[in-house]
Amino acid sequence: MRRLADQLEDAAVEQAMRAGWSWPQVSEALGVTRQAVHKKHAKWLIAAGVKLRRRGDERV
């Protein structure tokens, strides 16, 4: 069950980041800190070609 939950979380985070969500928005949705989400997901999101927002980036 833990692996399934992790897979669902990974997919949801990827979808949110591709949709332009910020790290704070994702972290709030998951109920964890921004740092925790970044540490867990940033490396593989970059490898998957997801363009990540940085602090100060404005959505257009």
Side-chain angles (χ1 to χ4, degrees), residues 2-60:
R2 179 75 259 165
R3 275 183 288 198
L4 177 58
D6 285 341
Q7 290 171 347
L8 291 172
E9 180 180 305
D10 290 346
V13 169
E14 181 177 357
Q15 184 177 15
M17 296 305 282
R18 287 187 187 276
W21 285 34
S22 66
W23 290 112
Q25 289 172 312
V26 174
S27 69
E28 183 178 336
L30 293 175
V32 298
T33 66
R34 180 188 61 81
Q35 293 85 354
V37 173
H38 189 273
K39 182 177 181 178
K40 184 174 180 181
H41 297 284
K43 191 179 230 179
W44 72 262
L45 286 169
I46 292 167
V50 178
K51 182 170 175 14
L52 303 178
R53 293 180 62 192
R54 300 187 187 271
R55 236 182 252 169
D57 286 353
E58 298 294 326
R59 280 191 85 181
V60 179

